[in-house]
Amino acid sequence: MAKPERRETSDAKRGPIQDLREWLQRVEEMGDLLRVKDPVSCEEEMSAIGYLVAKQNPSPAILFDNIKGYENSLFKARSLWNILGPSIPRIALTMEEPPDTPTVELIRRVKDKLKARTLPKEVSQAGFYEITLTGDKIDLTQLPIPKHWPLDGGRYAGTADAVITRDPDNGYLNVGTYRMMLQSKNEVGLYLSPGKDARLHITRSWQMGKPVQIAAAWGIDPLFMVLGSQTFPKNVSEYEFLGGIKGEPIPVVKGKTTDLLLPANAEFVIEGIIKPNSVKSEGPFGEFPGYYGRPEAGCPLVEVTAVHYRNSPILTNALMADYPSCEQSGFFSIIRSARIWDDLDKLGVPGIQGVYAHPAGAGGFGMTVISLEQRYAGHAAQSLALAAQVPGGAYYTKWIIAVDEDIDPTDMDQVIWAMSSRSNPIDDVDILRNTWSTWLDPTQNPPEKRPYGSKALINACKEHRHLPVFSKRTALRKEIYDKVAGEWKKFGLPGQVPTVRAFEEEKKIVYHEVGGFEPGKQPGEETANKKT
């Protein structure tokens, strides 16, 4: 395996990425793709390589061109792992932004893009219709579907996938990322956490005594995995948000055995049906918190009615593991942060300077940090409570932390410093109980307590009522920072100039709630002076 050479590349004038193969081309131009030519087994070996490479920096995507035991199989499939991993440049590329975009700025841009929605565009042709199998010709056992972990209950094709279902009441199409386990030549199991859209569609259809049409793309532009993993309004299709990110409609094509609209640029697509109350045991599976998920249990059973694929298709795989080897950690950090920030914008919460769902927090789910400029009494407490329960942030998250605007929410050293120097646990920690969680939370025991959880709200901001007397932090003067930064290379100093958010400021006119405008005073300072 040759180590890729990292190179800079510009995508500003090339337009949106159209499919997985174009994405791979651009990643390879960045020097961020590792091609493995030697045969590698899909039984735990690929996942092991992905797990270990993800712990390196840089951490390239890995394309396995030859899969041991499947060299002459029907599908001649290849397999992609560590697709995004911990790589911010690859995540930025996937979000149609320059790979060198700084993290907080990337989150800000994605947040703004989520405000745009573009309807998909139906087309007549799709690359995956190059080869179609139906009936007795379907044999998914010839596909190199991997086993990820030693104690997994089976082989999992749907991990970095896009699953399409239709709401039986309002007809909207959901595009979700859900795991799918091989059950037989033409059957796969579908695992769905409580509250997920496809699960609601299936439950509602079964209540009506109707079967459920379903399709899944197992080789996709990674953007589908990123958005498919998120919680959006339950009456708007992810196709619209995907188009908003791309800045153009997503091409879709009608299915052959379903009336669903399928992503036209996918590599490998199945269509199928879930008959009323059709379930089969599935699991366990090594999941995003870094533990095996719930024990074997019944899950909806998909009967595959058609298989479509491009010649030599590329299957996309997402390993769930401890950080940083959990595939979802990096991209969840970006897209979930943007979703929460966008929700706060919609609610009219002012002064938000940044939101960061830390990737080490159980696959990007467990912790959210909010940086804000405090503008009124209760501002920090309000932001904490809302961030804990908005649609983009309610699921699973356990720790929500508010910090002042001088703290970079992506820098945990600064966040911990703020928690240690600006919060008093007895006053600044609140608990929310019986919140939305997951069957996969290993801390809730016995398992019957799941999927209910709790959340801690930690106010690590300077106490608003005592801002005038709060100890002044040490900070550089801006002109000194600029002088040093301008001569950084001249001095022979290492690396790039660190970003600084807080500077020593001259006295300025500020507004405070009592007394109007006065030069150089902080809110409430005149009250404090009167007391003395």
Side-chain angles (χ1 to χ4, degrees), residues 184-243:
S184 72
K185 289 184 177 181
N186 67 337
E187 294 174 318
V188 292
L190 176 65
Y191 175 82
L192 300 159
S193 295
K196 296 298 183 180
D197 290 1
R199 180 167 177 153
L200 298 178
H201 295 175
I202 293 168
T203 299
R204 178 64 176 147
S205 296
W206 286 359
Q207 289 172 345
M208 300 164 68
K210 296 180 179 179
V212 180
Q213 291 186 347
I214 186 169
W218 290 348
I220 51 173
D221 173 348
L223 182 62
F224 280 77
M225 171 181 68
V226 173
L227 265 67
S229 67
Q230 297 303 296
T231 301
F232 290 98
K234 297 186 184 303
N235 58 354
V236 182
S237 175
E238 281 78 3
Y239 277 132
E240 296 184 30
F241 291 100
L242 286 159

Side-chain angles (χ1 to χ4, degrees), residues 160-347:
D161 61 1
V163 178
I164 298 98
T165 56
R166 187 184 297 279
D167 188 304
D169 291 320
N170 61 28
Y172 98 95
L173 289 174
N174 181 70
V175 182
T177 297
Y178 312 112
R179 79 184 196 217
M180 306 183 81
M181 188 181 91
L182 181 67
Q183 296 280 17
S184 72
K185 289 184 177 181
N186 67 337
E187 294 174 318
V188 292
L190 176 65
Y191 175 82
L192 300 159
S193 295
K196 296 298 183 180
D197 290 1
R199 180 167 177 153
L200 298 178
H201 295 175
I202 293 168
T203 299
R204 178 64 176 147
S205 296
W206 286 359
Q207 289 172 345
M208 300 164 68
K210 296 180 179 179
V212 180
Q213 291 186 347
I214 186 169
W218 290 348
I220 51 173
D221 173 348
L223 182 62
F224 280 77
M225 171 181 68
V226 173
L227 265 67
S229 67
Q230 297 303 296
T231 301
F232 290 98
K234 297 186 184 303
N235 58 354
V236 182
S237 175
E238 281 78 3
Y239 277 132
E240 296 184 30
F241 291 100
L242 286 159
I245 296 289
K246 293 284 187 188
E248 63 183 31
I250 298 296
V252 293
V253 64
K254 284 185 178 178
K256 298 291 188 183
T257 62
T258 69
D259 64 3
L260 300 173
L261 294 175
L262 316 178
N265 292 336
E267 293 276 318
F268 191 105
V269 176
I270 64 168
E271 295 182 86
I273 190 170
I274 305 173
K275 296 176 181 176
N277 303 309
S278 178
V279 297
K280 191 171 182 178
S281 293
E282 186 268 2
F285 178 68
E287 267 290 358
F288 71 83
Y291 302 85
Y292 288 96
R294 63 183 300 186
E296 183 178 2
C299 287
L301 183 65
V302 179
E303 179 182 330
V304 179
T305 55
V307 172
H308 316 286
Y309 57 99
R310 297 179 66 173
N311 186 42
S312 190
I314 301 169
L315 304 179
T316 44
N317 304 273
L319 182 68
M320 299 292 103
D322 53 276
Y323 179 76
S325 298
C326 183
E327 176 65 69
Q328 77 176 48
S329 295
F331 76 76
F332 251 63
S333 175
I334 302 301
I335 188 67
R336 202 159 195 261
S337 301
R339 286 280 293 115
I340 296 168
W341 197 347
D342 183 44
D343 285 339
L344 294 174
D345 277 358
K346 289 175 181 175
L347 290 167

Side-chain angles (χ1 to χ4, degrees), residues 73-88:
S73 70
L74 172 66
F75 296 104
K76 295 182 174 56
R78 295 169 285 167
S79 201
L80 181 64
W81 291 75
N82 200 38
I83 303 170
L84 300 175
S87 169
I88 294 297

Side-chain angles (χ1 to χ4, degrees), residues 69-140:
Y70 293 87
E71 293 90 343
N72 299 311
S73 70
L74 172 66
F75 296 104
K76 295 182 174 56
R78 295 169 285 167
S79 201
L80 181 64
W81 291 75
N82 200 38
I83 303 170
L84 300 175
S87 169
I88 294 297
R90 291 204 300 279
I91 296 167
L93 177 75
T94 302
M95 304 307 296
E96 304 292 347
E97 293 293 337
D100 58 354
T101 305
T103 303
V104 173
E105 179 60 23
L106 176 60
I107 294 169
R108 186 190 304 275
R109 293 181 189 181
V110 173
K111 181 257 296 185
D112 291 340
K113 284 185 172 184
L114 289 173
K115 301 182 190 304
R117 285 161 41 189
T118 303
L119 290 169
K121 176 183 179 181
E122 189 172 337
V123 297
S124 58
Q125 300 293 325
F128 61 75
Y129 280 151
E130 186 174 353
I131 304 170
T132 292
L133 304 176
T134 58
D136 294 340
K137 293 182 179 180
I138 298 174
D139 184 1
L140 294 176

